[in-house]
Amino acid sequence: MQYVILDLEWNGSYSFRVGGYINEIIEFGAVKLNENMEIIEQFSVLVRPDLTKRLSTKVKDLTSLTNAEVKKGYPFTYALSKFQKFSKNCIIMTWSTSDIVTLQSNCLYHMKNNRLNFLKKYVDLQMYCQEMTGTGNNGQIGLVAMAEMLGLNVDDIPHHRAVGDCIVSAQCLQKLYSKGAMKPHIQKADCNEFYEKLEFHNTYASSFENSLVDKSLMTMNCNLCGARADIQKDWEIKNRGFYSSFLCPECHNEFDVKMMFKIKYDGVTPIKKLAVHSNDDEIENQPSA
């Protein structure tokens, strides 16, 4: 089985034709890997914008692309067709699902269909890498941040260019690849459930009356000595989370805690963060007793 890592660059702006904001794809980039996670082929195509005639200053600064360059690109449908041939019979991966969602919106505009019929099996590389590094509940970690965490030197690889980001993603995968660990992350993508999950908007339970708020998890062990800490004040609700202060009876460590209950398609993920008073270093996801 071969794998294809896809990355897209896009130009976001308001379009009267679609009646709202759209991230219009301006570049496809991909790398193909064999079963040993070795890069064996690369793919790169610039896409000529149809909705947005000018690149935003931010996009030009990030990608170093110019309006003249993308105007010489291929039509979206041609670029997509080329990518389909490149990725045929491969498991497709992206760093987070944002590229897949953006590809959906572009397909909906150009072809009146947001189903990606060529996508049969899919892996969210961000989710896989965060699971393998034990950072799965730390919020979304960016690609460059993950590369730095893994000790990879990616300074010479062009960032925010599609192929460059694919190469960095591949290096992260090579560092963390395990056939057994990867298997559960390979999703069947040609089904309704995949799109329902993809289109589900995560929310937060931020009321004690919400049955999804598990009060039994709202305890805290001291991050210094591990003893059960005592809550110092009632929980306050703000910014989608619950806030309180704790004091350790053993070492007298005092700290504040933020507790959140993130509602995702497949369940609720409790997220616990603490800030140590002495140095304000934030330590995330301390285990509850």
Side-chain angles (χ1 to χ4, degrees):
M1 177 62 71
Q2 294 182 331
Y3 300 84
V4 164
I5 298 176
L6 168 68
D7 186 81
L8 304 170
E9 300 299 331
W10 57 73
N11 185 49
S13 68
Y14 185 88
S15 169
F16 287 101
R17 267 190 269 174
V18 298
Y21 284 89
I22 184 169
N23 293 321
E24 185 171 22
I25 294 170
I26 56 173
E27 185 179 29
F28 278 78
V31 295
K32 186 177 292 184
L33 299 88
N34 60 20
E35 291 184 349
N36 297 319
M37 296 299 117
E38 299 166 330
I39 295 176
I40 57 174
E41 198 174 349
Q42 296 185 16
F43 173 85
S44 179
V45 174
L46 287 178
V47 180
R48 182 168 65 246
D50 181 64
L51 287 165
T52 53
K53 301 304 181 183
R54 287 191 163 283
L55 301 180
S56 69
T57 301
K58 179 180 179 181
V59 170
K60 286 191 287 187
D61 290 344
L62 283 174
T63 65
S64 298
L65 286 169
T66 66
N67 290 312
E69 285 177 303
V70 295
K71 282 180 181 177
K72 294 178 182 177
Y74 292 98
F76 172 81
T77 51
Y78 176 88
L80 181 63
S81 175
K82 284 289 190 183
F83 174 71
Q84 289 178 6
K85 292 178 182 177
F86 178 80
S87 61
K88 188 175 181 180
N89 298 323
C90 296
I91 295 174
I92 295 176
M93 304 176 165
T94 62
W95 189 266
S96 89
T97 59
S98 58
D99 287 275
I100 298 299
V101 172
T102 298
L103 189 54
Q104 276 189 289
S105 65
N106 281 249
C107 286
L108 181 62
Y109 169 72
H110 287 281
M111 299 178 292
K112 312 305 178 189
N113 184 5
N114 69 349
R115 290 299 178 101
L116 310 178
N117 296 326
F118 63 91
L119 186 62
K120 306 301 181 184
K121 293 183 178 179
Y122 171 75
V123 172
D124 180 344
L125 263 182
Q126 184 185 58
M127 185 181 294
Y128 172 79
C129 289
Q130 289 195 223
E131 179 181 291
M132 295 298 287
T133 54
T135 57
N137 291 330
N138 286 15
Q140 292 188 324
I141 295 178
L143 177 57
V144 174
M146 178 59 69
E148 291 174 351
M149 185 187 304
L150 297 174
L152 297 172
N153 183 2
V154 297
D155 293 340
D156 295 332
I157 301 173
H159 300 315
H160 300 293
R161 286 303 299 272
V163 170
D165 285 349
C166 289
I167 292 172
V168 176
S169 298
Q171 290 185 2
C172 292
L173 177 58
Q174 290 162 352
K175 195 87 171 179
L176 297 170
Y177 180 68
S178 163
K179 186 176 181 178
M182 174 62 72
K183 190 174 180 180
H185 282 267
I186 300 175
Q187 304 177 50
K188 182 177 169 59
D190 55 350
C191 60
N192 289 334
E193 184 180 3
F194 175 79
Y195 289 96
E196 289 171 0
K197 184 175 181 181
L198 194 66
E199 294 162 5
F200 183 86
H201 295 290
N202 295 334
T203 58
Y204 291 86
S206 54
S207 166
F208 280 115
E209 286 69 43
N210 193 319
S211 61
L212 298 177
V213 173
D214 188 345
K215 299 180 181 63
S216 68
L217 298 178
M218 300 176 77
T219 58
M220 202 69 192
N221 288 348
C222 177
N223 65 295
L224 298 182
C225 71
R228 173 64 66 85
D230 297 326
I231 191 168
Q232 298 299 293
K233 63 179 183 179
D234 292 338
W235 290 95
E236 297 178 33
I237 301 173
K238 56 182 178 179
N239 298 330
R240 304 181 302 178
F242 302 86
Y243 293 78
S244 190
S245 298
F246 284 77
L247 176 66
C248 176
E250 300 294 329
C251 68
H252 306 293
N253 176 36
E254 188 178 356
F255 51 91
D256 294 329
V257 174
K258 178 181 181 181
M259 186 80 194
M260 305 175 77
F261 293 89
K262 189 174 185 178
I263 305 170
K264 301 191 292 186
Y265 177 83
D266 48 4
V268 180
T269 299
I271 302 171
K272 201 177 285 190
K273 302 180 181 181
L274 70 87
V276 183
H277 283 188
S278 58
N279 56 16
D280 291 330
D281 289 336
E282 190 178 75
I283 303 173
E284 297 191 353
N285 305 308
Q286 297 296 315
S288 56

